[in-house]
Amino acid sequence: MTFAALSQMNPMHAIPVLKDGDFTMWESKSILRYIANKHNLEAWYPTDPQKRAHVDLALDFCNNNFQNVIGPKVVYPIVGIVSPLSEAEAAEVEKQWKEDVMPSFEHILRRSGGPLFGGSRPNIADLAFLGHLVTVFGKAPDSFVCKTEAISSYFAAVKAALPKYADAFGPSEAFFSAK
Amino acid sequence: RRIHSVGRKNTTMSKLTIHGALLSNNVVPPLILLKEKNIEFDFKPVDLFKGESRTPSFRAMNPMHCVPTMDDDGYTLWESKAILRYICNKYGLDDWYPTETDKRVICDVALDFYNNSFYPVVSRIFLYPHLFPTIYSTPSPADLAAAEKTFNDEIIPTFKKIKAMHVSPGEFLGGAQPSIADLCFIILLQQTFEYNKDCVVSKTPQMVQYLKSLQRKLNPKHPEHIKAAAA
């Protein structure tokens, strides 16, 4: 697909893009909501307002506080998309991770009873985190993110709960782990 | 397309408390929604600059110590868009957040568009350096030029594309009537027009017209919230 063709489908030229018949949409978390709503996947995105709000909170937290560290602050400097962080910047990122990001991650996770955001089985919030975890564990296994015990045990729990994980993520894992 | 069974209104529903600051463009949208639907709520001001969101009791509700933070009789929530969705799901506000999948998805895409594309560029480059000059540095000429290009080449076309997703498009991202996605825009746009009237955002005809539509739809009912946010 060319950049021009992608921009026709989505002027923000981001992926993923979903085509469902004549309907085209983008934004990964909205795609997850759409699939769950369309097929009435109650376990993946419950309809009870407070249970649904928990998933919405987890999705927003992933988007606004988690993946913006994993990408721009950890993986991108390693692969050269952005320049490496200065010592001061890196220290600030790790400080926020410890003081704000991880307490929030654990607070939201605890509400489901754990070990997953869906409790004992995965929901769409778990799927949202999964892609970013595959990337960071593949490209930055020695980072403070991957050395955080709560993150590595959560990652293991998500993988264990998804029978199709190897089929779906095998190629991604291989891509991100390659030297 | 199936209609979800979501919360229906009943006479013994718990009362929400919203913790926040009236100058925040993320706090005011849920307040407008509650006022628009005559839903009683409490508002508790939080002085972020004085560290009032970093107390142990606030962090027990929300470890990210941001606003708005909602407390519904012990059920706490943060993230303005999660709060907007929750209010609609709880009180059955189908006109603001449709339950029908094909209509709901347009609102979800619009909410993400605001959060990931519109807000980061407009707030950081065009508004906050003017609204909070002691905290946000003036963008470099290169950053400013790049932001203007992104706004013209990507953000405005995406705005148009989302409006066009409706079977019968209208003035709003929600179609003929505004959705909770449209509510996100009003304070940010109002403040940008007020504090940076010469920037590309304030001069784009689509945005001038859109803000007029939003104000026409909402202003007469909520002057105190919108005025306070603009102050």
Side-chain angles (χ1 to χ4, degrees):
Chain A
M1 157 154 313
T2 60
F3 185 82
L6 179 63
S7 294
Q8 272 285 85
M9 295 171 88
N10 164 18
M12 297 311 301
H13 55 78
I15 51 170
V17 175
L18 175 78
K19 264 184 88 69
D20 183 9
D22 286 336
F23 176 63
T24 299
M25 68 177 296
W26 60 97
E27 289 295 356
S28 59
K29 294 158 197 73
S30 285
I31 291 172
L32 287 167
R33 287 182 171 104
Y34 176 68
I35 294 168
N37 285 339
K38 180 172 176 177
H39 298 284
N40 299 296
L41 306 180
E42 173 72 25
W44 290 91
Y45 192 33
T47 47
D48 169 79
Q50 289 190 355
K51 292 191 177 134
R52 181 160 279 220
H54 177 252
V55 183
D56 288 332
L57 173 62
L59 288 169
D60 278 355
F61 170 76
C62 180
N63 192 83
N64 298 336
N65 302 117
F66 191 82
Q67 70 190 62
N68 65 333
V69 173
I70 300 232
K73 308 294 179 190
V74 178
V75 174
Y76 294 6
I78 290 174
V79 301
I81 294 175
V82 302
S83 5
L85 269 56
S86 68
E87 252 187 70
E89 279 178 301
E92 181 60 30
V93 170
E94 281 197 52
K95 180 175 188 277
Q96 284 185 16
W97 180 261
K98 268 212 213 72
E99 290 181 2
D100 294 341
V101 180
M102 280 314 296
S104 301
F105 178 88
E106 288 173 308
H107 174 112
I108 302 170
L109 192 59
R110 215 172 323 167
R111 289 194 186 192
S112 73
L116 305 175
F117 287 100
S120 56
R121 46 139 307 144
N123 66 17
I124 57 173
D126 295 296
L127 295 181
F129 279 89
L130 185 55
H132 302 292
L133 291 169
V134 172
T135 308
V136 73
F137 276 86
K139 275 292 165 213
D142 297 324
S143 62
F144 64 89
V145 171
C146 301
K147 292 255 155 84
T148 305
E149 207 278 319
I151 296 295
S152 52
S153 59
Y154 169 70
F155 187 30
V158 179
K159 286 198 273 192
L162 292 171
K164 303 274 169 77
Y165 175 80
D167 286 344
F169 277 93
S172 287
E173 275 202 331
F175 175 78
F176 286 114
S177 305
K179 295 292 164 251
Chain B
R1 308 276 181 252
R2 290 262 303 266
I3 304 291
H4 307 287
S5 61
V6 292
R8 296 333 254 168
K9 213 184 268 223
N10 67 51
T11 52
T12 56
M13 276 199 173
S14 48
K15 191 168 157 186
L16 307 185
T17 299
I18 306 284
H19 299 260
L22 286 179
L23 58 70
S24 163
N25 52 58
N26 292 315
V27 169
V28 180
L31 305 181
I32 295 177
L33 178 64
L34 291 164
K35 283 258 173 183
E36 187 74 23
K37 299 305 286 189
N38 296 312
I39 297 166
E40 256 196 84
F41 67 97
D42 286 329
F43 176 74
K44 288 213 173 118
V46 178
D47 192 329
L48 299 169
F49 301 109
K50 287 197 182 136
E52 286 178 3
S53 72
R54 291 176 185 259
T55 61
S57 61
F58 199 95
R59 290 191 72 128
M61 287 192 294
N62 171 6
M64 282 307 299
H65 57 81
C66 52
V67 292
T69 293
M70 181 199 85
D71 182 351
D72 186 359
D73 197 27
Y75 177 77
T76 60
L77 192 61
W78 71 94
E79 285 295 352
S80 59
K81 293 154 207 75
I83 293 170
L84 286 166
R85 288 179 163 107
Y86 174 70
I87 292 169
C88 291
N89 289 336
K90 177 184 176 182
Y91 294 102
L93 309 182
D94 297 356
D95 47 345
W96 286 93
Y97 191 38
T99 49
E100 217 183 299
T101 299
D102 286 355
K103 298 199 172 105
R104 178 162 281 212
V105 67
I106 301 175
C107 189
D108 286 334
V109 170
L111 285 164
D112 280 350
F113 164 67
Y114 178 81
N115 191 77
N116 296 338
S117 304
F118 194 91
Y119 172 81
V121 170
V122 174
S123 65
R124 179 60 189 91
I125 302 292
F126 300 113
L127 176 62
Y128 288 167
H130 298 258
L131 191 58
F132 306 115
T134 56
I135 304 173
Y136 290 89
S137 53
T138 309
S140 68
D143 284 349
L144 189 58
E148 284 171 350
K149 188 169 197 310
T150 299
F151 191 79
N152 289 325
D153 294 355
E154 296 173 10
I155 290 176
I156 290 297
T158 306
F159 178 79
K160 289 182 184 170
K161 195 168 178 83
I162 296 172
K163 287 210 293 185
M165 283 178 168
H166 290 279
V167 171
S168 309
E171 307 171 88
F172 303 104
L173 294 167
Q177 298 299 321
S179 69
I180 49 175
D182 294 291
L183 280 183
C184 292
F185 284 79
I186 185 171
I187 303 302
L188 181 70
L189 278 178
Q190 209 156 273
Q191 289 176 328
T192 304
F193 275 64
E194 170 120 9
Y195 285 86
N196 194 357
K197 59 178 166 53
D198 292 324
C199 71
V200 63
V201 180
S202 308
K203 293 196 151 152
T204 299
Q206 279 268 356
M207 291 290 108
V208 174
Q209 188 48 52
Y210 181 52
L211 181 58
K212 280 200 179 113
S213 301
L214 288 168
Q215 288 172 326
R216 198 185 333 115
K217 194 80 187 171
L218 300 169
N219 222 8
K221 282 192 177 180
H222 318 295
E224 70 274 18
H225 287 293
I226 294 177
K227 264 196 218 149

